[in-house]
Amino acid sequence: MRYVINPPAVVTVPTADGADFPVHRIYCVGRNYAEHAQEMGFSGREPPFFFLKPADTVVPVADGATGQIEYPTLTSNFHHEIELVVAIGIGGSHIQAADAARHIWGYAVGLDMTRRDLQTEMKKQGRPWCIGKAFEQSAPIGPLLPLAQTGELTAGAITLAVNGTRRQTGDLKELIWNVNETIEALSRAWTLQPGDLIYTGTPAGVGAVVRGDVMEGAIDGLGTLRVAVH
Ligand code: MN
């Protein structure tokens, strides 16, 4: 192969045992906890919907480290969304919920960072959300733990604190569309590939961070993700 420019590096997320998970795509689920849907002005179990972030928006944060992100351009309302991230190990399309777990490689704690003011403006105009969601460093993520170690994660606290003050609190069992149902719905629209990450949605309490803030997200069984904003 003779490339005409240098090919982009493979984006990876570290695994708990020191290996690396190569990232293919990042799918995100919108409004997947009832209370968060309500705080965004919606209610009920509407069908799941999805958006994507480019793979290179990932900011991998090693166990015990503090990730560093830059306050992004164009926004004055930069929001945190703590989320369970599912890593796909075996791809497929039209995956049934009952069969979804065998497609999961593992899990991590992630942040779906959002330029809320830009997202809101695009929504208002009926335009794509990309500028609000799919910008550089918008997908911090902690180390991946294999499902073989954690078992299927269907319940457990999911929380986020900023500078030590709790902002978001939820439980994985409050997901409107659980992980298996999400994989079923997603795999009808796209053929999932090994290396895909799914950010599964955020519980209530989203809010803004500013330069100098430190976010600490945690999910039972997955540990803590710490990220500082510069
Ligand atoms: Mn989100």
Side-chain angles (χ1 to χ4, degrees), residues 29 51 81 83 112 133 201-202:
V29 187
F51 57 91
E81 294 191 357
E83 309 203 358
D112 166 17
K133 285 291 194 179
T202 199

Side-chain angles (χ1 to χ4, degrees), residues 89-100:
I90 297 171
S93 65
H94 295 86
I95 297 165
Q96 297 299 307
D99 191 41

Side-chain angles (χ1 to χ4, degrees), residues 119-168:
Q119 183 202 25
T120 302
E121 184 57 28
M122 290 299 117
K123 274 189 202 174
K124 209 179 296 172
Q125 299 187 29
R127 292 178 177 173
W129 292 5
C130 309
I131 200 168
K133 285 291 194 179
F135 52 94
E136 287 92 344
Q137 300 188 321
S138 62
I141 185 170
L144 278 165
L145 272 70
L147 180 143
Q149 181 183 327
T150 61
E152 260 189 86
L153 292 186
T154 55
I158 174 169
T159 60
L160 181 100
V162 177
N163 306 326
T165 302
R166 179 71 65 82
R167 294 267 192 94
Q168 292 191 260

Side-chain angles (χ1 to χ4, degrees), residues 29-35 37-38 42-49 97 172-185 188:
V29 187
R31 295 193 288 265
N32 203 16
Y33 288 82
E35 272 183 57
Q38 283 156 20
F42 294 83
S43 62
R45 185 170 151 108
E46 47 176 23
F49 70 93
L172 299 179
K173 67 178 187 290
E174 298 161 359
L175 279 165
I176 296 172
W177 299 93
N178 68 35
V179 167
N180 291 343
E181 292 168 333
T182 296
I183 290 171
E184 178 173 310
R188 277 200 293 261

Side-chain angles (χ1 to χ4, degrees), residues 5-28:
I5 56 169
N6 290 327
V10 174
V11 174
T12 60
V13 177
T15 64
D17 69 352
D20 290 295
F21 180 91
V23 179
H24 176 244
R25 288 182 185 164
I26 305 172
Y27 295 99
C28 302

